[in-house]
């Protein structure tokens, strides 16, 4: 806080300054941890950051390097506030909006996440609030279900904030995420809700998430295959417990991801949505796309269920089951302190 008095005197406009008080308050400090040529040997702890700040802490940046067969299957696990089961347990690539090992970098979804190299150089700026600790592990896999015992050389960076006052408030998706201790009886938490490698029958719904608390959707990624493109007619629908009918978010799958005519311009990445993989010529068609909701909010005060349908009756000709379906939904939820 500073008070400055200014006086102009006479034709020469002599300026007199009186500085009466200066008080500087630092509301936020930042922290950073990294690893260079670190060897992953099975599930390996990368960081275990403790929070002692009065108003809590957050992590807001991750970066990963490395190069080995199956890199895209590497599993990242994030334990928030001494959890025994992780809030996040997912594949490196799907966490960053990619379902396939396409050599398509560099690209970014604005500042949210992206990829600068091949197969690594992946990063994100997701905000993870925590009040006690955040512990992160990584485990290399050679396939979706098979971990490797071979040590793998790895690089990583994590950055975050510590809040010493409560005047640096930040809302994401309608949820107050910083400082987390600014909410007296509850706190925000970023969770990953997923389906991995499932099959969805024709015209059936895949539940992306079903939550019974206050929350806001941050990011949805869907990756799937089928024998025809008709499955892309499937719509995304949502419903709160108090709603009398479902809300329709799109007229088809590609519309939800802001694409058109079965993604007729190929892959794209932007700060709202992206198509990171498409194959329309192989006998089995496939796609992966992401949709961010940090600006286009889906906020719910007490509950919400979001679904995606495999095809839509009356559209798209012959529709076949959706196979190799992966869905990753990132949701901020409010939980007891």
């Amino acid at each position: 806080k500073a008070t400055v008095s200014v006086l102009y005197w006479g034709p020469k406009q002599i300026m007199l300054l009186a500085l009466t008080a200066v008080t500087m308050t630092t509301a936020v400090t930042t922290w950073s941890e990294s690893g260079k040529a670190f060897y992953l040997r099975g599930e390996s702890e990368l960081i275990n950051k403790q929070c002692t700040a009065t108003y809590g802490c957050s992590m807001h940046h991750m970066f990963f390097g490395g190069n080995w067969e199956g890199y895209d299957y590497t599993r990242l696990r994030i334990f928030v506030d001494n959890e025994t089961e992780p809030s996040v347990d997912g594949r490196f690539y799907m966490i960053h909006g990619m379902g396939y090992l396409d050599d398509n970098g560099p690209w970014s979804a604005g500042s949210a996440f992206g990829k600068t190299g091949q197969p690594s150089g992946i990063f994100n700026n997701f905000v993870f609030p925590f009040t006690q600790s955040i512990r992160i592990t990584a485990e290399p896999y050679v396939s979706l279900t098979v971990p490797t015992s071979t040590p793998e050389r790895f690089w990583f960076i994590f950055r975050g904030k510590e809040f010493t006052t409560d005047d640096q408030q930040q809302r994401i998706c309608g949820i107050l995420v910083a400082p987390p201790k600014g909410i007296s009886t509850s706190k925000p938490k970023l969770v990953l809700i997923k389906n991995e490698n499932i099959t969805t029958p024709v015209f059936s719904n895949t539940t992306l998430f079903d939550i019974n608390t206050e929350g806001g959707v941050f990011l949805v990624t869907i990756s799937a295959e089928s024998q025809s493109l008709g499955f892309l007619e499937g719509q995304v629908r949502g419903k709160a417990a108090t709603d009398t009918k479902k809300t329709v978010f799109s007229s088809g799958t590609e519309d939800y991801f802001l694409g058109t005519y079965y993604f007729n311009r190929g892959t794209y990445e932007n700060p709202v949505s992206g198509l990171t993989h498409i194959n329309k010529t192989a006998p089995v068609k496939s796609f992966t796309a992401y949709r961010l909701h940090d600006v286009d909010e889906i906020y719910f005060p007490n509950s919400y269920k979001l679904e995606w349908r495999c095809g839509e009756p009356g559209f798209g000709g012959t529709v076949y089951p959706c196979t190799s379906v992966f869905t990753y939904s990132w949701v901020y939820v409010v939980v007891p302190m």
Side-chain angles (χ1 to χ4, degrees):
K1 178 181 179 180
T3 302
V4 179
S5 298
V6 181
L7 175 63
Y8 293 96
W9 187 323
K12 293 185 179 180
Q13 293 191 335
I14 299 173
M15 185 171 66
L16 303 178
L17 299 180
L19 186 62
T20 58
V22 175
T23 304
M24 299 189 66
T25 302
T26 302
V28 169
T29 58
T30 58
W31 58 268
S32 182
E33 297 195 22
S34 62
K36 181 176 182 178
F38 176 91
Y39 278 92
L40 297 178
R41 293 178 170 86
E43 184 175 10
S44 303
E45 183 175 282
L46 306 180
I47 66 167
N48 190 348
K49 173 66 178 176
Q50 302 298 306
C51 179
T52 59
T54 305
Y55 285 90
C57 303
S58 69
M59 181 178 69
H60 63 246
H61 177 75
M62 298 184 234
F63 168 87
F64 304 107
N67 184 1
W68 60 82
E69 184 178 354
Y71 183 88
D72 52 319
Y73 289 110
T74 302
R75 297 202 78 87
L76 187 73
R77 300 183 177 99
I78 301 177
F79 303 79
V80 175
D81 291 341
N82 301 316
E83 289 174 321
T84 56
E85 295 295 326
S87 298
V88 173
D89 181 357
R91 293 169 48 197
F92 263 5
Y93 265 38
M94 275 297 293
I95 284 174
H96 296 88
M98 298 175 287
Y100 296 82
L101 193 60
D102 296 87
D103 187 359
N104 58 355
W107 62 265
S108 74
S111 62
F113 60 93
K115 177 173 178 250
T116 62
Q118 181 66 15
S120 59
I122 54 179
F123 69 91
N124 72 70
N125 289 317
F126 301 170
V127 177
F128 287 85
F130 62 100
T131 58
Q132 299 172 54
S133 65
I134 189 164
R135 186 170 75 90
I136 302 175
T137 68
E139 184 174 10
Y141 276 62
V142 295
S143 67
L144 180 63
T145 59
V146 180
T148 177
S149 58
T150 303
E152 302 293 359
R153 207 173 185 208
F154 189 51
W155 286 256
F156 62 86
I157 302 170
F158 299 101
R159 287 186 48 75
K161 297 177 182 177
E162 298 175 331
F163 299 94
T164 56
T165 71
D166 63 354
D167 61 355
Q168 295 290 310
Q169 294 189 351
Q170 180 182 7
R171 286 188 180 273
I172 300 177
C173 309
I175 303 298
L176 179 65
V177 298
K181 287 185 181 177
I183 304 174
S184 58
T185 60
S186 59
K187 61 182 179 181
K189 186 178 183 180
L190 180 58
V191 298
L192 172 61
I193 302 164
K194 64 185 189 295
N195 295 290
E196 291 194 313
N197 203 28
I198 66 172
T199 296
T200 303
V202 174
F203 305 148
S204 295
N205 287 313
T206 296
T207 298
L208 303 180
F209 66 84
D210 189 358
I211 289 175
N212 294 306
T213 185
E214 180 186 2
V217 184
F218 175 60
L219 170 66
V220 174
T221 300
I222 299 177
S223 182
E225 301 178 352
S226 190
Q227 294 180 52
S228 76
L229 292 173
F231 79 105
L232 291 175
E233 296 288 350
Q235 296 173 302
V236 175
R237 297 173 171 87
K239 185 178 183 296
T242 55
D243 291 342
T244 57
K245 63 178 182 179
K246 294 179 180 179
T247 297
V248 180
F249 286 96
S250 67
S251 65
T253 300
E254 77 273 43
D255 298 26
Y256 175 69
F257 297 106
L258 308 186
T260 186
Y261 295 110
Y262 296 169
F263 301 114
N264 67 348
R265 300 297 290 178
T267 58
Y268 58 91
E269 297 87 16
N270 64 57
V272 181
S273 65
L275 177 72
T276 59
H277 170 84
I278 186 71
N279 188 334
K280 296 192 283 188
T281 60
V284 176
K285 324 303 180 187
S286 57
F287 91 107
T288 306
Y290 67 83
R291 179 70 156 86
L292 281 155
H293 285 286
D294 54 336
V295 175
D296 176 23
E297 295 182 3
I298 302 177
Y299 166 79
F300 45 94
N302 46 49
S303 69
Y304 211 78
K305 182 177 183 178
L306 195 67
E307 300 173 326
W308 168 65
R309 180 181 274 176
C310 178
E312 209 65 42
F315 297 90
T318 302
V319 181
Y320 296 89
C322 295
T323 58
S324 300
V325 176
F326 291 78
T327 71
Y328 275 35
S329 299
W330 296 83
V331 185
Y332 282 100
V333 297
V334 177
V335 299
M337 180 67 79

